[in-house]
Amino acid sequence: MATVIKPTTPGGPPAAKTYSAPTQFAPHPEGLIAGNHDLATLGDKIADVSIQVTPTPRAWWMFFLLGFTLLQGLVVGVGYLLYMGTGVWGINQPVAWGLAIVNFVWWIGIGHAGTLISAILLLMHQKWRTSLNRFAEAMTIFAVMCAGMFPLLHMGRPWLFYWLYPVPVNFGAWPQFRSPLCWDVFAVTTYFTVSLVFWYIGLVPDFAVLRDVARNRLQRTVYGMLSMGWRGSAIHWRRYEKLYLLLAGLGTPLVFSVHTIVSFDFAVSIVPLWHATIFPPFFVAGAIFAGFAMVIWLAVPLRQFYGMKDFITNKHMDLCAKVMLGTGLLVNYGYFCELWMSWYSHSIYEWDTTLQRIWYGPYAWAYWMLILTNGVIPQLLWVDKLRKNMVVLFFVALSVHIGMWFERYVIVITLSRDHLPSSWGRYAPTEWDYMLFAGTIGLFITLFSLFVRFVPMLSITEMRELLPTAQGGRDGHAVMENAK
Amino acid sequence: MTSTLDETPKVYGLLAEFGTADELVHATQSAAAKGFSRMDGYSPYPVGEVADALGFPRSEIGAIMFIGGLCGATFGFVMQYYLNGIDYPLNVGGKPMFSWPQFAPITWELLVLTASLSGVIGLFALCGLPQPNHPLFNVPQFARATRDRFFLCVEATDPQFDLTTTRDFLDTLKPLSVAEVPE
């Protein structure tokens, strides 16, 4: 049994509870779990946050209040938008898409790393996914919620969104299924639903853990209901693992298809520099790049303020940084490919739009901002020492967030330079555009803060499996071997 | 209602507690070799060998998801062609009415959606969940099945079940405890 120090003395400050197994174990061979844990201490450390034994760090309140404040911007922004119409945004002809689509693609790209970590790395037997998948999946769900809001609001009359679905209504018209915009609706809805059930299925055994360690009736009831009465039967586990594996197997092509379809929104048009076959792979690489930046952003405070360094070790941060660097190179290859193809194609429209984009157009600064933040700054991660420095890593991730936002901005703003100079125009977002963007950031921070506080932020079940056999675990994630 | 108070309380089964996964695997194998068939293992994380020893080598989830996905994809494809090609023919850029490549994305998305949802519904339906209460929850130490203990429950419905002899058998497996599970 673990050493348990009773956490609080009435009136006094809460005593820090230590989580260490009574017997001393050898360090984890791959450096994936630090500290000295057995099944009980590992579960307690994660579960105690959800059942409110771990004192809530002051930083949590700061994050939550920041998010909640920004969230009010969303309320005001959406309220005014619905009252006035989309004219309050900076969109016009020819730039009819504007920030709404920039933010949509930015958010949905961030979401993709969650699926990548939980599904693709699972299929590839990467044990290090285990420490990251739960909060990365939460990130996916919240990011897709933020993303979905933009196209909905961009419709102008969002209450008619059901026209996008084949609902039998009396006007007798059907959606146009040959349009990428219609594909987008199905892709994003499916992505959100599947991510949600994948997340929930992973959570069911963890809710059962919380039910059994709950400190009061309310917790026991709520977590008990969420756990659906899970009791860890071997027969149930067998079905569970098979389902989990198959969901991962479906989730992997799903994530590729979703961002491919998002890129089709652009690539299927005939706008110069949009009409490119490089778009789908380039968009998917960009999504993973951005998503890992967000995983790093979320992991740093979890380590810092919730003391999760035992489970999200330096090794994990190093691996995330490497994936970010690798996908960043793919993205930069995409930038090169765009330039190369427009030159090599000998299309005057392609080449002139390229020159406008990178040299004499009004938004050339945005392109160079993109190259700086996405191309140059991430190269710092080649240096081993910098990858292990959390401050540097945090700022490189910030640079990637800015860069990926500018990437979509540069793409959307291409609308300002069409084939005909007579249809050229300019675009500037208004304060309502920015307020809505800030508002979705607020929504994301608020939801994520609440998630960290009330739901196990790391998968207790899978972390226990990851423990070496001597410590009570199964020495790694055995889903692949046992899923039958 | 006639009183049943004087009868012996009904028993769900006998629950043996183990400290490690390997002990549970060994115990389940021994019990299976002894001829017990109505039993189940409980563990904080999946231990595949237990399910193997229980004679449940393969779950039904794969078949369910395959059928679910197939239905969803077929429905999606037929729906798109029927709605855009027959019920309300829509000519887009002079493409043929049966422009099947353009129906592929939504067909695929619906395949994933229906396969996933049928898998999830299948899991809960087959496991009989949600089931908020279960006789096993009456045993106090069973709370540690989600913590650090591994349990084997031989159920009273097993033809070989007998309170005394089964308990004696379970004792030979060197469990940490053996408890009677009231119904």
Side-chain angles (χ1 to χ4, degrees), chain A residues 71-123:
Chain A
L71 183 61
Q72 309 315 309
L74 186 72
V75 176
V76 177
V78 172
Y80 190 65
L81 178 82
L82 293 184
Y83 178 67
M84 291 295 287
T86 44
V88 299
W89 288 350
I91 49 173
N92 55 29
Q93 287 300 338
V95 187
W97 274 9
L99 239 55
I101 301 303
V102 175
N103 297 338
F104 163 66
V105 184
W106 189 75
W107 272 121
I108 206 147
I110 285 173
H112 284 338
T115 319
L116 180 98
I117 287 174
S118 39
I120 303 180
L121 296 183
L122 175 76
L123 299 184

Side-chain angles (χ1 to χ4, degrees), chain A residues 37-338:
Chain A
H37 288 287
D38 60 14
L39 291 177
T41 60
L42 185 146
D44 285 345
K45 186 167 167 91
I46 302 170
D48 277 357
V49 177
S50 307
I51 57 167
Q52 318 296 320
V53 171
T54 309
T56 306
R58 189 166 297 165
W60 185 88
W61 282 105
M62 284 162 60
F63 280 113
F64 177 73
L65 288 176
L66 171 75
F68 199 67
T69 311
L70 288 173
L71 183 61
Q72 309 315 309
L74 186 72
V75 176
V76 177
V78 172
Y80 190 65
L81 178 82
L82 293 184
Y83 178 67
M84 291 295 287
T86 44
V88 299
W89 288 350
I91 49 173
N92 55 29
Q93 287 300 338
V95 187
W97 274 9
L99 239 55
I101 301 303
V102 175
N103 297 338
F104 163 66
V105 184
W106 189 75
W107 272 121
I108 206 147
I110 285 173
H112 284 338
T115 319
L116 180 98
I117 287 174
S118 39
I120 303 180
L121 296 183
L122 175 76
L123 299 184
M124 292 182 172
H125 298 246
Q126 297 299 308
K127 285 182 185 176
W128 60 278
R129 84 177 260 287
T130 307
S131 309
L132 306 172
N133 71 328
R134 172 65 47 72
F135 73 87
E137 284 170 39
M139 173 188 91
T140 297
I141 290 163
F142 303 147
V144 174
M145 285 164 84
C146 294
M149 213 174 286
F150 286 102
L152 266 181
L153 294 171
H154 197 255
M155 289 192 295
R157 284 182 285 173
W159 46 93
L160 296 179
F161 77 96
Y162 64 90
W163 288 13
L164 289 160
Y165 289 100
V167 184
V169 281
N170 56 10
F171 52 75
W174 297 109
Q176 210 274 80
F177 292 119
R178 297 185 185 96
S179 160
L181 297 178
C182 195
W183 304 346
D184 219 16
V185 176
F186 281 86
V188 174
T189 324
T190 301
Y191 186 50
F192 179 73
T193 316
V194 172
S195 301
L196 191 68
V197 295
F198 192 46
W199 189 59
Y200 180 66
I201 289 295
L203 272 167
V204 165
D206 280 8
F207 282 137
V209 174
L210 294 183
R211 172 198 66 204
D212 291 342
V213 296
R215 291 191 310 150
N216 53 48
R217 200 183 165 79
L218 177 70
Q219 285 177 356
R220 195 160 45 245
T221 313
V222 172
Y223 291 126
M225 288 201 302
L226 287 170
S227 75
M228 296 217 171
W230 183 262
R231 49 186 192 273
S233 145
I235 307 286
H236 296 182
W237 276 126
R238 168 128 289 167
R239 295 185 181 120
Y240 173 93
E241 283 197 289
K242 177 74 173 189
L243 175 66
Y244 200 76
L245 176 67
L246 286 178
L247 284 180
L250 284 171
T252 303
L254 176 66
V255 68
F256 283 90
S257 79
V258 171
H259 223 59
T260 297
I261 288 172
V262 170
S263 85
F264 280 168
D265 292 346
F266 299 89
V268 171
S269 74
I270 52 160
V271 176
L273 295 186
W274 283 15
H275 191 63
T277 45
I278 189 75
F279 261 38
F282 162 61
F283 265 55
V284 172
I288 296 165
F289 185 44
F292 267 88
M294 191 55 104
V295 167
I296 288 172
W297 257 29
L298 298 174
V300 168
L302 291 185
R303 280 162 52 98
Q304 188 66 37
F305 301 114
Y306 269 110
M308 289 296 163
K309 282 182 187 160
D310 283 4
F311 308 134
I312 310 170
T313 63
N314 290 336
K315 174 91 179 161
H316 290 102
M317 303 307 282
D318 187 46
L319 289 165
C320 285
K322 280 178 179 163
V323 174
M324 203 164 82
L325 182 63
T327 48
L329 292 175
L330 289 176
V331 171
N332 282 291
Y333 173 72
Y335 301 148
F336 166 75
C337 228
E338 282 189 315

